[in-house]
Amino acid sequence: MARRPPLTAEEATELFSELDDSGVVDPLRARDAARRKEIRDKVRREGGAEAVNKLEADHRSRRRASQAKVDPLSADDPSGSKAGEAISRMAVLCIVGVLVLVVGMQVAYGVSRRLNTANLSERTTVETVTHAMESGVEWGNGFTQFPSEFTVNEADERTGVVEVSVVDTTSKNELELLSNSQIAASALSTNALLNDKINRVEYNVYVRVDDEGNFVHDSFFGFVKGQGALRAMLTFIWTKDVSETSSTIDWQLRIVGMDDETAEKIQEQVNSVSSLAESSEVTQDDIDDMEAEQRLEQQLNGPEVFLGKE
């Protein structure tokens, strides 16, 4: 295999002139190689090798002056860029932006919720009660919302009666239905009975059940409505009685409409929940029962059983 002749000094200079200071081929310099060769030949003809060397020196100095300095041995930034600092700065800005957005949304939601909260103590009509059922009402330090499916049967300050009906689609059983509905009924009734012209609030609760009587719930975050027959479960009746002889105001709650089957299921569910919370500690009642059992054993078998005698 024939060997290629070694590169001349001029060819070596031209070859390495296509590299930048970091040792990478510069496409722009490689593209202009033919033009540089013509300029070099012209300078050589006019001034010789010394003029060519001067031309190359001037070219290198101009190139270094126009380019940013790169230190390949630098531990901080060997490429001459500040990519790490830019990425860190952008990450911090993104985190701060997300925190500001979240806090801003929470504040805006809280302000909007309080601005939209209905106040039935000032005015109680079908429109205001509907608004209260849609937007919710303040209850203690919290906020109570109502089922999305509801009907305002009556809301009139002349008769002093407010009646609404709701369809509960979130409660899993009768006990949870009683608890959730009582909280919602108390929040709505308290808000309405603070109105001097309202003295009675009825809160009717319905559920959807299947053929076996089990509760039917909505799915896919409430977008798919449960299919089932409506069944009346409970009615919470709040009344207000203003005494004519004193300054006292009596509030009363009655829960009606609960049949024997529903009451039995609630009792079973309460007992099952209570059994999970039973304590393993010995109480005074346990000691009294044990002593009574021992006295009964003594009467039946004699004291020798407990004294170790035969």
Side-chain angles (χ1 to χ4, degrees):
M1 181 177 180
R3 293 185 178 181
R4 296 183 58 183
L7 295 176
T8 63
E10 181 179 347
E11 292 174 341
T13 301
E14 177 59 30
L15 177 62
F16 286 99
S17 65
E18 299 178 4
L19 305 178
D20 57 16
D21 290 341
S22 61
V24 180
V25 175
D26 188 349
L28 297 178
R29 293 181 58 79
R31 183 189 61 187
D32 298 337
R35 185 175 61 84
R36 291 198 307 274
K37 187 175 183 301
E38 293 178 359
I39 296 174
R40 190 181 300 107
D41 293 340
K42 180 180 179 182
V43 172
R44 180 178 293 105
R45 288 194 302 269
E46 295 177 354
E50 184 177 352
V52 174
N53 294 335
K54 185 176 183 303
L55 175 65
E56 292 292 340
D58 293 342
H59 178 72
R60 285 194 297 269
S61 62
R62 287 195 303 269
R63 188 176 61 181
R64 292 194 183 103
S66 62
Q67 294 180 349
K69 294 183 179 181
V70 178
D71 184 7
L73 300 180
S74 174
D76 298 331
D77 193 12
S79 64
S81 65
K82 299 295 182 182
E85 295 181 3
I87 293 174
S88 300
R89 185 164 52 251
M90 184 58 66
V92 172
L93 291 176
C94 290
I95 293 175
V96 173
V98 170
L99 291 177
V100 171
L101 178 62
V102 171
V103 173
M105 291 178 62
Q106 290 179 341
V107 173
Y109 174 76
V111 173
S112 175
R113 189 187 70 180
R114 281 166 173 77
L115 291 177
N116 292 327
T117 298
N119 187 2
L120 302 180
S121 62
E122 297 179 355
R123 185 167 176 265
T124 303
T125 62
V126 174
E127 291 76 14
T128 58
V129 174
T130 301
H131 177 61
M133 298 294 293
E134 292 175 346
S135 60
V137 296
E138 296 285 347
W139 179 239
N141 293 329
F143 182 74
T144 298
Q145 290 183 307
F146 303 94
S148 59
E149 188 175 349
F150 66 88
T151 302
V152 180
N153 306 100
E154 182 181 0
D156 194 342
E157 292 182 348
R158 293 171 298 181
T159 60
V161 176
V162 174
E163 182 180 359
V164 299
S165 301
V166 301
V167 179
D168 189 304
T169 59
T170 59
S171 299
K172 298 179 180 178
N173 51 46
E174 289 78 5
L175 178 60
E176 189 172 333
L177 175 70
L178 175 63
S179 176
N180 295 338
S181 302
Q182 186 170 356
I183 293 174
S186 299
L188 179 67
S189 301
T190 301
N191 200 287
L193 291 177
L194 290 175
N195 190 324
D196 296 336
K197 299 178 182 179
I198 301 299
N199 51 39
R200 180 184 178 90
V201 178
E202 295 186 15
Y203 190 88
N204 305 306
V205 183
Y206 293 81
V207 296
R208 284 192 174 88
V209 297
D210 57 16
D211 297 337
E212 298 179 357
N214 300 318
F215 288 6
V216 177
H217 304 92
D218 296 342
S219 57
F220 289 103
F221 305 99
F223 293 105
V224 179
K225 299 297 183 182
Q227 301 298 322
L230 279 179
R231 175 184 175 186
M233 296 295 294
L234 302 167
T235 297
F236 297 85
I237 303 176
W238 282 86
T239 56
K240 179 180 65 177
D241 183 18
V242 181
S243 176
E244 298 180 355
T245 59
S246 64
S247 60
T248 60
I249 301 176
D250 296 332
W251 290 34
Q252 297 179 353
L253 167 64
R254 295 173 56 226
I255 303 177
V256 301
M258 183 186 302
D259 55 19
D260 294 337
E261 180 182 359
T262 302
E264 183 178 356
K265 288 184 178 179
I266 292 176
Q267 184 177 6
E268 292 177 355
Q269 290 159 7
V270 170
N271 293 336
S272 63
V273 173
S274 301
S275 64
L276 297 177
E278 288 184 353
S279 175
S280 59
E281 297 180 357
V282 178
T283 63
Q284 185 61 41
D285 292 338
D286 296 334
I287 297 176
D288 295 341
D289 293 341
M290 187 181 301
E291 291 177 352
E293 185 177 355
Q294 289 180 351
R295 287 194 297 269
L296 180 60
E297 289 289 340
Q298 289 177 357
Q299 293 175 1
L300 295 176
N301 301 319
E304 294 80 2
V305 174
F306 298 94
L307 298 177
K309 297 180 182 180
E310 296 182 358

